[in-house]
Amino acid sequence: MNNRIRRRRSLLVVINAELRVRFNPLDTLSDGEIMLRYRLPRGEILQLFDIVSPLIARATRRNYALSPMVQLLAALRFYATGSFLQVVGDGVGLSRAAVSKSVAAVTAILAQEAHHHIRVADTQQEMLTENQLFHQVAGIPRVIGVVDGTLILIANPTLQDGAFICRKGYSALNVQVIVDAKGLFSDVVANWPGSAHDAFIWADSAVGRDAAAGVFGRGIFLGDSGYPLRSYLLTLVANPATAAEENYNTAHIRTRGLVERVLGRWKLRFRCLHRSAGGLRFTPERSIRVIVVTAMLHNMAVRAGGYLPEEDEDDEDDDDDDEDANPPPPEGRAALHRASLRVRQTIINLFV
């Protein structure tokens, strides 16, 4: 017969275990504190909870498994700070391993929802609205989106493969984004290594192929000098020789400035993407999911009127523009290039 006396569980252990299961920080934080910590308004967090809760709820209380709300908030806090250790410090009864598992589980679920929140204008009414909003910026007609690439630092998956080493010398993903006139992501392509060229990513993307196929009609995108000049993708005039070309370049830069500002706000809102936080120290596959999910959350925050805390309003020193001039068209594409020049000249003539 076992006469051992079972030691009573520490009161602190019991308290921490109950908090892991039942505690909901949203019940104790103000709206401002929620925005500061999680970068989303209360209502949007509750929407996300409705999505993730059925899929990450544990049927057992063995080992006091984390509640769906605690897992969701741990993931959101990681996106906001980029630090597992900071989430551990903020949480109650959370280990670093528990936070890592929560981030992985929540990210995988939310990634499946991204297509509901990130989509390019494709109906006549949507494109007309984008045309009008973009025209108000600097007078360029028919614009439905501005495209740019940005480098997101990641852990190098292999020391032998240099494909992920970007032109700045660190391991990264080269992420192509398209932004609409309201400052929302309408397309995100995050599956290319840092050495991939912007022009190649554009040509291989679904939006790039649709644009080439005429899906967007007369709608055009604006891109920097890293992209090829096309009738549906207008770039700057490399060496402007007339006042109209100068004015066109000025309007182009002003309009395309929107995507650069959105990229900056995205990385500030979700510090896990920011180089100051060390970037995403994950595998490329997991990093891709985090990038797409944070783009989706950015759109949710903007649509809900979410703001960036004042102390975070700074800039990342990250000039991701490709400074190379547009390369000459390959043999056999001269006719396409000439047609693209004519379209751009039509727009330039509006700035005489």
Side-chain angles (χ1 to χ4, degrees), residues 4 21 37 40 52 54 63 80 89 157 161 181 238 256 261 263 288 294 296 313 323 334 351:
R4 288 186 305 172
V21 176
R37 293 170 68 86
L40 287 173
V52 304
N63 294 329
D161 185 0
R256 194 169 50 82
R261 292 191 295 274
L263 286 172
I288 290 169
T294 55
M296 177 189 81
E313 289 284 359
E323 297 298 335
F351 290 90

Side-chain angles (χ1 to χ4, degrees), residues 12-320:
L12 180 60
V13 171
V14 173
I15 293 173
N16 280 348
E18 290 300 310
L19 288 170
R20 287 162 64 96
V21 176
R22 294 190 174 90
F23 180 59
N24 182 354
L26 298 188
D27 293 338
T28 62
L29 297 175
S30 68
D31 291 342
E33 290 170 329
I34 289 173
M35 277 299 305
L36 177 63
R37 293 170 68 86
Y38 303 115
R39 299 306 201 250
L40 287 173
R42 187 188 306 268
E44 277 54 43
I45 294 177
L46 294 176
Q47 288 182 34
L48 296 177
F49 176 75
D50 290 340
I51 294 171
V52 304
S53 179
L55 301 175
I56 59 176
R58 309 285 173 79
T60 176
R61 287 186 60 190
R62 184 180 180 183
N63 294 329
Y64 294 95
L66 295 178
S67 71
M69 180 59 80
V70 170
Q71 292 182 66
L72 172 61
L73 295 181
L76 293 179
R77 186 63 174 147
F78 168 74
Y79 301 149
T81 66
S83 170
F84 282 124
L85 293 178
Q86 188 167 345
V87 179
V88 171
D90 291 343
V92 179
L94 300 183
S95 68
R96 194 177 191 278
V99 174
S100 179
K101 291 178 181 178
S102 297
V103 171
V106 170
T107 302
I109 295 170
L110 294 183
Q112 303 302 314
E113 299 293 318
H115 66 281
H116 297 302
H117 300 268
I118 303 173
R119 54 179 297 275
V120 68
D122 56 5
T123 68
Q124 288 294 330
Q125 185 56 51
E126 289 174 338
M127 288 190 285
L128 178 60
T129 299
E130 292 299 322
N131 293 166
Q132 294 171 340
L133 292 175
F134 272 117
H135 186 268
Q136 293 172 10
V137 176
I140 300 181
R142 296 164 40 197
V143 179
I144 59 174
V146 283
V147 59
D148 203 357
T150 189
L151 299 169
I152 304 293
L153 188 151
I154 64 168
N156 193 348
T158 170
L159 296 178
Q160 286 72 40
D161 185 0
F164 287 90
I165 304 299
C166 69
R167 62 184 179 275
K168 299 191 176 185
Y170 56 81
S171 297
L173 291 171
N174 190 359
V175 180
Q176 175 183 285
V177 303
I178 298 174
V179 170
D180 69 14
K182 297 178 289 294
L184 301 173
F185 291 113
S186 55
D187 190 61
V188 177
V189 178
N191 58 332
W192 287 99
S195 63
H197 196 279
D198 290 350
F200 178 84
I201 297 174
W202 166 262
D204 187 74
S205 68
V207 173
R209 293 194 298 269
D210 285 347
V215 169
F216 304 108
R218 298 178 69 246
I220 59 176
F221 298 89
L222 301 183
D224 63 24
S225 60
Y227 297 93
L229 173 65
R230 294 288 183 267
S231 59
Y232 47 82
L233 176 60
L234 299 189
T235 59
L236 292 167
V237 176
N239 297 294
T242 67
E245 290 177 347
E246 292 277 7
N247 294 337
Y248 162 81
N249 275 4
T250 298
H252 189 288
I253 292 170
R254 282 185 57 193
T255 307
R256 194 169 50 82
L258 176 63
V259 68
E260 296 168 355
R261 292 191 295 274
V262 169
L263 286 172
R265 293 168 186 162
W266 178 39
K267 293 181 181 182
L268 292 174
R269 187 181 306 261
F270 300 107
R271 285 278 182 176
C272 65
L273 307 175
H274 204 283
R275 286 217 311 270
S276 66
L280 295 173
R281 315 309 293 177
F282 301 140
T283 63
E285 293 76 15
R286 190 171 170 187
S287 297
I288 290 169
R289 288 194 290 269
V290 172
I291 290 167
V292 172
V293 167
T294 55
M296 177 189 81
L297 298 180
H298 166 87
N299 282 2
M300 293 179 66
V302 172
R303 288 188 176 109
Y307 60 90
L308 282 172
E310 290 184 4
E311 65 265 27
D312 282 347
E313 289 284 359
D314 61 4
D315 293 317
E316 181 179 25
D317 183 16
D318 187 14
D319 180 10
D320 289 330

